[in-house]
Amino acid sequence: MRVQFKTGYDQDIRLFADAREALRTAALLAIAAALPFLLDDFLIGEATNVLIWAIAGMGLMVLTGHAGQPSLGHAAFLASGCYANAILMGRFDLPFLVAFPLAGLLTGLVGVLVAIPALRLHGIYLAIATLALSILTEDIIVLAEPWTGGVVGMIAPTISIAGVEVDRLASPGLFYWLCLAVAVVVTLGYRNLLRAPLGRAFLAVRDSEISAQAMGVSLAGTKTAAFGLSCMVTGWAGALMGHFFYTFNHEVFTVVISIQLLLMIVIGGLGSIQGAYYGAAVVGIIPQAINVARDGVAEAFGGGGVAIPGLETGIFGLILIGFILFEPLGIHGRIAKWRLYFELFPFCRRDMFRRQKSYLKTERLR
């Protein structure tokens, strides 16, 4: 049995809980960096897709998982970051290293503007408002044809960094490393945010707005900051997504993407950075698993593969129902329980994992 004793308050806000966690993280990062030497171009493309989804998941996790503000409209902010990056690079001839951060900052500003009228909304009402924003964004993209290309769409400009061209098709390894670098920077920033007073304020607002307000936390300022930071990170994911798809239009950023993002962080584990990565892996693996299974069935029974409409969405729904019923804390929660079980064995008890009420009685009907 291994038990970690804390001897000071600083241990609660350390970047890594102990040396073992730091070594595990370093080993995982080394393996991730070595993937282009170990996998073929197709699998590198799938790994890149997982990284982009993980960045978008961390963006939504800030708002929903840690600040407690549900959103069904993050596809709008993906689109904002994607189009902002493409316009800055294509229309204004800005280099990628300038256009990419600016695209995130502009998307964060959009999130702040959205947060101002949404501050008085809670729960399902806020989710409906963000859902309406996602639907409206598709029409805005079509109407702004001189800038966005309308229904025809746009082509992502070529990325050039220090004279080296980074292209998803011509140089998948370089584009993977670029996405990995962004994911590492976002993860490090996210982890430090949770150690800062603002991150603690997010958690306080999520658990109880009344208690947070009583402790002096500004609800308006905290929610606005959560929207801004969440949309900024999501905008960066959208910019990378545009380069990943190469061509894009309004049909890429539909409401389905917003719902898929929410499903992803719920399945991965709400309130944890690791949950964004676990959920992104599920989102990346399921479509390919469906294709492999369909080809296997076609091979076994003869004939061509039959595409079943809505199969992928139905499987996502079944997985979500299963997690809500049997493991509400998601994949990360289940792994944390297994780890705690083995660390405390044989002193662990079933009651240690009993579900706790998430809200105060005064806030259940809000």
Side-chain angles (χ1 to χ4, degrees):
M1 181 178 71
R2 183 174 69 88
V3 179
Q4 179 183 352
F5 292 99
K6 295 182 179 180
T7 57
Y9 292 109
D10 290 341
Q11 287 180 266
D12 283 329
I13 58 173
R14 287 193 304 190
L15 190 60
F16 300 104
D18 51 29
R20 291 189 181 186
E21 184 179 348
L23 290 175
R24 284 197 302 266
T25 303
L28 185 61
L29 185 58
I31 294 172
L35 283 184
F37 302 108
L38 306 175
L39 304 178
D40 58 20
D41 290 349
F42 173 76
L43 293 179
I44 286 298
E46 294 302 311
T48 304
N49 187 38
V50 169
L51 286 176
I52 295 173
W53 276 106
I55 296 169
M58 284 188 282
L60 183 58
M61 190 73 78
V62 171
L63 184 64
T64 302
H66 284 105
Q69 308 303 306
S71 172
L72 287 173
H74 261 52
F77 305 118
L78 282 173
S80 177
C82 179
Y83 279 97
N85 180 70
I87 292 171
L88 289 172
M89 292 181 66
R91 293 288 186 94
F92 297 97
D93 294 326
L94 293 180
F96 175 79
L97 292 180
V98 176
F100 181 73
L102 280 178
L105 292 175
L106 289 174
T107 308
L109 179 60
V110 172
V112 170
L113 295 177
V114 170
I116 293 174
L119 287 176
R120 300 181 66 86
L121 300 177
H122 302 272
I124 188 64
Y125 304 105
L126 179 59
I128 293 173
T130 53
L131 178 64
L133 175 66
S134 183
I135 296 172
L136 184 62
T137 300
E138 295 182 47
D139 296 328
I140 293 175
I141 293 173
V142 175
L143 293 174
E145 183 178 357
W147 289 91
T148 63
V151 296
V152 176
M154 297 182 67
I155 298 176
T158 302
I159 300 174
S160 180
I161 301 176
V164 178
E165 290 192 357
V166 180
D167 186 82
R168 205 270 288 192
L169 300 176
S171 53
L174 293 178
F175 187 68
Y176 168 81
W177 279 323
L178 174 63
C179 295
L180 178 62
V182 175
V184 170
V185 171
V186 170
T187 304
L188 187 61
Y190 196 168
R191 182 68 186 90
N192 280 283
L193 172 67
L194 296 181
R195 300 161 62 202
L198 181 59
R200 298 301 179 99
F202 287 167
L203 300 180
V205 170
R206 178 195 65 184
D207 292 340
S208 172
E209 291 187 7
I210 295 175
S211 300
Q213 203 167 14
M215 291 187 294
V217 175
S218 171
L219 295 184
T222 303
K223 289 183 179 181
T224 302
F227 265 96
L229 292 173
S230 172
C231 295
M232 181 178 67
V233 175
T234 307
W236 286 332
L240 293 175
M241 194 174 289
H243 290 287
F244 182 80
F245 290 140
Y246 185 65
T247 60
F248 50 87
N249 61 5
H250 68 289
E251 294 181 351
V252 173
F253 305 100
T254 61
V255 179
V256 176
I257 298 296
S258 297
I259 298 173
Q260 197 170 354
L261 264 176
L262 185 60
L263 293 180
M264 187 181 77
I265 63 171
V266 171
I267 292 172
L270 274 176
S272 64
I273 299 175
Q274 297 92 326
Y277 284 92
Y278 294 140
V282 171
V283 168
I285 289 172
I286 284 182
Q288 298 305 324
I290 292 173
N291 292 334
V292 170
R294 186 167 54 225
D295 294 341
V297 170
E299 236 179 78
F301 296 96
V306 179
I308 302 175
L311 179 61
E312 184 179 324
T313 306
I315 291 177
F316 269 117
L318 290 175
I319 293 175
L320 179 64
I321 292 171
F323 271 100
I324 290 175
L325 290 177
F326 303 108
E327 188 47 81
L329 297 180
I331 297 174
H332 176 68
R334 174 49 55 183
I335 293 175
K337 289 178 181 179
W338 284 340
R339 184 183 301 148
L340 185 61
Y341 177 87
F342 287 110
E343 286 182 355
L344 298 182
F345 186 83
F347 300 105
C348 53
R349 294 291 182 268
R350 184 188 300 270
D351 289 345
M352 293 175 57
F353 306 126
R354 180 174 293 175
R355 293 177 61 185
Q356 302 293 324
K357 293 184 175 63
S358 300
Y359 299 96
L360 299 177
K361 290 182 179 180
T362 54
E363 297 192 347
R364 288 180 185 169
L365 298 179
R366 297 188 63 176

